[in-house]
Amino acid sequence: MTVECDADTSTTALGTAVATDNCDTSVTITYADTTVAGTGNNSVITRVWTADDNNGNASTYTQTITVVDTTAPVADVATLADVTAECSVDSLTAPTATDNCAGSITGTTTTALPITAQGTTVVTWTYVDTEGNVT
């Protein structure tokens, strides 16, 4: 199973195991996350489910949960206000975006400051999360 990094990895979000027994109607099902490989937004969790019939008989099932980040950041403000200045624009406040895994991300631009050219200069802001997803 593959989930986004902001997914709830509890049994509610990833499903639960079901087991039946020919003699015992009260099978107990538990799980343990035995292996966590990788870090952060790209990791693998090995979940081992155990079904126990309370008579000493048990069986297990292994579930692999792959955590990824494939969602690009979303700009906090869709349209930024125009900036008007006399002679030059010496600095700009970088806008922010929200990423489902990394949280707040500050925009970057390749526009050189100060802007001294007369007329209109379009400044493009880019948001890149830790996994390289770009807006």
Side-chain angles (χ1 to χ4, degrees):
M1 168 177 286
T2 300
V3 297
E4 278 280 331
C5 59
D6 58 350
D8 178 5
T9 57
S10 69
T11 58
T12 305
L14 300 180
T16 57
V18 177
T20 58
D21 186 80
N22 62 340
C23 296
D24 190 347
T25 59
S26 61
V27 176
T28 302
I29 299 174
T30 58
Y31 74 90
D33 293 339
T34 60
T35 305
V36 178
T39 58
N41 303 332
N42 288 307
S43 59
V44 177
I45 300 168
T46 301
R47 179 165 289 171
V48 178
W49 294 88
T50 302
D52 186 345
D53 71 359
N54 301 312
N55 288 311
N57 302 307
S59 62
T60 60
Y61 173 79
T62 301
Q63 177 184 27
T64 301
I65 304 163
T66 304
V67 182
V68 297
D69 177 8
T70 58
T71 302
V74 176
D76 293 333
V77 177
T79 303
L80 298 173
D82 290 341
V83 175
T84 303
E86 189 171 331
C87 300
S88 70
V89 175
D90 296 324
S91 65
L92 293 169
T93 301
T96 57
T98 300
D99 185 65
N100 65 324
C101 299
S104 184
I105 295 175
T106 301
T108 60
T109 185
T110 58
T111 302
L113 294 172
I115 300 169
T116 57
Q118 283 190 330
T120 301
T121 299
V122 175
V123 177
T124 300
W125 294 97
T126 303
Y127 310 98
V128 183
D129 70 12
T130 56
E131 300 307 319
N133 299 307
V134 179
T135 298

